[in-house]
Structure formats: structure tokens, C-alpha cells
Amino acid sequence: MATSSFFEQLFKWLFIVGALLTVALYFKKDRLPEPTFYDLGYLDEPVQAKINAEPFKTHVNDQEYTITPLYDYELHGVVVSYSDADAFTNIWHHKRWQDFLNLRDLCVIWGKNVGSGVYRQMKFHNDSWTCWASWQDYETGSLFKMNALSNNHLLTDDDRIKKALMSAEPGDHIRFKGVLAEYANKSNNFFRGTSITRDDTGNGACETVYLKEFEIVKKANRGIRKLYGLTKWLTIVSFFGFLIFFAIAPVRIRH
């Protein structure tokens, strides 16, 4: 039974170390890299061209959506924040709107916003349909260009594109190509439009893009994220290992 006591202590300390490392790495894995990490030559403003295309229909989760393409659209950008439609805090997309086409929103920056490094003095976060950018002083705010940021409602019914899209994380240089589009679900009168300019603000200023291509050009913090994944699993495994050996270890009576 001495062996079980040994493993009880071993798993206990592995759990403690793993938990501490996991917490520390959690706050580092999404830290935005320096501007020198990126190839700024690719991070120009999005390319947009008017098209004359017929609406088309697609089906996802027994819902029928009508998509009306307006412009061809291609963007290179750096992800600073995101929101998943199936997130616990997102009650709108699936439950209220029956929207299973907009899987994820990505908030991205490009151009001088990346080259200046101003984003590293800022905070970004997404709610269900908006990207918020904040800064602490006037100098930072005056350097940041709001027309070099966009919140993108990204639509796809393609499993290959979905896999790539859902693997994007803050700091990643991503590229996507598709169409700026309106879409609707007649069964519940749901409709969403799209911005067609980077200079608008407020409600309706987000780009709605039906994706044809999506790729991660350069992955940020690759080593830290791999280590975070390992320490997270170490914490989980060691926790259950500790519980098992704690249950079978001999009772220690203190005198």
C-alpha cells in the first residue's frame, strides 16, 4: 500500500504544478505579438469589388437560408478578438435567431494599426455581434484607426472551411475570401445585412461574409499554445489520478 501513497503524493504535486502553469499560460497564449512578427506587406486594406450575382439557398440544421451576394471581398488581417455562435453566453444566434450559418465573428485589424504596434496598448473583446476596442489615453486613441478594424460575421456551410475558421485565435494572421452578403431565414423572418464600407460605425457597421476560402497565414504563440494544451491535460489527468489513489491509499492515523 506504500506504492499507492507514493502515487497519491505524486499526482497531487503534478496537479498543483499543472494547475499553476495552466493559469499562467492561459493569460499568455492570446497575447498579441510584436509588429515584427507579421509580414506587413500583406496586411493592406481589404479588396472589394461590386458583383451582379443571383441569390442562392443553403440548408444548415434543417434551416433554409437565402444568401444575396453584393461584393467580392478578400481580407488579410490580424485577429484581435472573436465570438463563437455556440458560446454559452451567446443566446442570440442559435436560440433566438435559429442562425446556424454564422458560426463565428472575427474582429481583425490591418495596415497602420498593425505596423504602429498600437494594438499592444489596447484591449479588444467581442460580444454576440459587436467588437469593442478600448484604450487608456488620448495618444493611443489618436494613433488607432477605426477604419482599419472590422468585425466580421462569417458564414459557411463547408466543413473544411469551418475547421480552419474555428482554429483561428488572437494574434493569428488570417486571410479569407468570399462575398459580402445579406442573408435571411424566411421561417422566422430573420434578416441580416452587411456593411459595404470600412468608414461606418455603430449598428450595421459589421461585414457579413459568406466564405469561399479561409486560411491561417501565420499562427501566433504556437509554442505557448502547445504547452498550454499539455499542461491543461496534465492538470486533468493528475487530478483524477490523485482522486483514485487517494481513495485506495491506506488510512493514515495521526497520534
Side-chain angles (χ1 to χ4, degrees), residues 141-161:
S142 62
L143 192 59
F144 187 75
K145 309 299 180 186
M146 288 302 296
N147 62 359
L149 170 147
S150 68
N151 188 46
N152 302 272
H153 305 311
L154 299 177
L155 319 179
T156 185
D157 50 5
D158 183 297
D159 288 339
R160 177 182 54 83
I161 293 176

Side-chain angles (χ1 to χ4, degrees), residues 1 32 38 40-41 58 62 76 98 117 146 154 156 194 248:
M1 298 300 286
L32 302 178
Y38 303 103
L40 300 178
T58 187
D62 297 323
H76 276 266
Q98 293 295 295
M146 288 302 296
L154 299 177
T156 185
T194 181
I248 64 176

Side-chain angles (χ1 to χ4, degrees), residues 4 20 82 89 98 118 125 144 165 186 190 208 226 231 255:
S4 60
L20 291 174
Y82 66 88
T89 55
Q98 293 295 295
V118 64
H125 77 275
F144 187 75
L165 170 62
K186 287 187 177 180
F190 170 78
T208 302
K226 284 184 177 180
T231 59
H255 296 283

Side-chain angles (χ1 to χ4, degrees), residues 41-112:
Y42 286 103
L43 293 168
D44 292 328
E45 64 182 66
V47 178
Q48 178 176 321
K50 181 73 174 176
I51 57 174
N52 184 17
E54 292 294 322
F56 62 93
K57 298 182 186 296
T58 187
H59 294 80
V60 182
N61 282 25
D62 297 323
Q63 300 293 318
E64 181 181 84
Y65 306 94
T66 302
I67 300 167
T68 305
L70 302 176
Y71 291 82
D72 280 333
Y73 193 68
E74 183 173 7
L75 178 147
H76 276 266
V78 174
V79 178
V80 292
S81 183
Y82 66 88
S83 174
D84 291 337
D86 62 356
F88 178 75
T89 55
N90 191 333
I91 63 173
W92 297 94
H93 285 79
H94 290 178
K95 294 180 181 179
R96 297 193 180 183
W97 296 339
Q98 293 295 295
D99 182 3
F100 301 101
L101 193 59
N102 175 203
L103 298 178
R104 194 175 224 199
D105 289 359
L106 289 184
C107 185
V108 301
I109 58 173
W110 60 83
K112 292 182 179 179

